Amino acid sequence: GQQVMQIPQYQHVQEGEDFTTYCNSSTTLSNIQWYKQRPGGHPVFLIQLVKSGEVKKQKRLTFQFGEAKKNSSLHITATQTTDVGTYFCAAYYGGSQGNLIFGKGTKLSVKP
Amino acid sequence: NAGVTQTPKFQVLKTGQSMTLQCAQDMNHEYMSWYRQDPGMGLRLIHYSVGAGITDQGEVPNGYNVSRSTTEDFPLRLLSAAPSQTSVYFCASSIDRVGSPLHFGNGTRLTVT
């Protein structure tokens, strides 16, 4: 089946540093979504990217969708302790693969 | 709106026991799904449903059954629990199957001894 690779698996940063997680697919995506899961919590939808080269911002978070629609990134500027959690990308391929395929997630820890 | 409600929050089973994890949503969503989350494995799809009366298998369906008799409810049944089924289980729904964002329940932490 389809797979989406997400890196890094873990990231430890000092508060105020930037953070980026990447997702890559070997085939073209219909859309990609990003979710955040706080420790002990459930995944919460952040954003959906649909168009080639799309860039969306939510305060300190910037989401990008590659020109070929095979990769995506989430960048957090000046991390805060409230950013702690695991960030997942979820790929939608469409067609016969009509379910979201989740990456394994990047666990972010922030040292105050 | 309560969103997606899962019960119980925690459960301990002995090997061989059966149980049902409950999931209900009040958003009139057509698509519902069950995921399991294990350390380092991300979220893996167990079963899903695109509407009442329709279910299908996901990536890791063995040992689990589902049914969808109503739009609101999508229970997950463990037929004969095994230690390998120790995991956190999430129910999720979306308005449709066409890549729409998922709304997750709070999860059920299951331990099989």
Side-chain angles (χ1 to χ4, degrees):
Chain A
Q2 301 284 8
Q3 281 189 328
V4 58
M5 304 302 295
Q6 186 173 358
I7 56 170
Q9 189 174 0
Y10 302 96
Q11 186 77 57
H12 309 282
V13 300
Q14 193 78 30
E15 190 173 20
E17 291 181 338
D18 292 356
F19 159 78
T20 305
T21 174
Y22 302 89
C23 275
N24 293 288
S25 169
S26 58
T27 55
T28 303
L29 305 174
S30 182
N31 74 51
I32 193 160
Q33 301 169 19
W34 287 91
Y35 293 77
K36 177 183 179 180
Q37 183 178 24
R38 295 182 188 275
H42 60 278
V44 174
F45 171 75
L46 294 176
I47 209 157
Q48 177 174 285
L49 304 172
V50 179
K51 299 177 182 177
S52 168
E54 190 169 15
V55 178
K56 288 188 176 180
K57 293 189 176 184
Q58 290 180 350
K59 297 183 180 178
R60 293 177 296 104
L61 278 62
T62 302
F63 304 85
Q64 294 189 350
F65 203 9
E67 292 291 340
K69 298 183 69 174
K70 290 184 179 180
N71 58 77
S72 181
S73 65
L74 158 60
H75 179 82
I76 302 179
T77 303
T79 55
Q80 300 175 357
T81 55
T82 54
D83 296 324
V84 164
T86 301
Y87 293 85
F88 293 97
C89 62
Y92 178 65
Y93 292 89
S96 60
Q97 289 289 338
N99 298 297
L100 286 174
I101 307 298
F102 281 81
K104 293 187 177 181
T106 296
K107 187 174 183 178
L108 173 65
S109 62
V110 180
K111 187 176 181 181
Chain B
N1 284 352
V4 179
T5 303
Q6 283 185 241
T7 56
K9 289 186 179 180
F10 302 95
Q11 184 71 49
V12 179
L13 292 178
K14 294 186 185 300
T15 298
Q17 288 185 318
S18 62
M19 78 159 296
T20 300
L21 279 63
Q22 302 291 344
C23 176
Q25 53 90 10
D26 62 358
M27 298 174 282
N28 201 32
H29 283 176
E30 288 297 318
Y31 180 84
M32 297 186 74
S33 55
W34 278 100
Y35 288 86
R36 60 176 288 173
Q37 184 174 35
D38 303 293
M41 299 296 292
L43 292 153
R44 293 184 293 170
L45 182 65
I46 305 172
H47 285 285
Y48 64 94
S49 168
V50 298
I54 306 169
T55 64
D56 206 344
Q57 296 180 350
E59 180 186 357
V60 287
N62 292 342
Y64 308 94
N65 273 357
V66 291
S67 59
R68 185 97 179 268
S69 56
T70 66
T71 298
E72 293 77 20
D73 300 299
F74 190 47
L76 178 72
R77 296 182 184 83
L78 280 70
L79 309 174
S80 178
S84 60
Q85 294 178 304
T86 294
S87 187
V88 180
Y89 292 85
F90 288 102
C91 179
S93 72
S94 68
I95 191 165
D96 56 38
R97 189 191 178 181
V98 191
S100 298
L102 291 172
H103 299 254
F104 283 84
N106 289 334
T108 296
R109 186 173 295 274
L110 175 68
T111 303
V112 183
T113 60

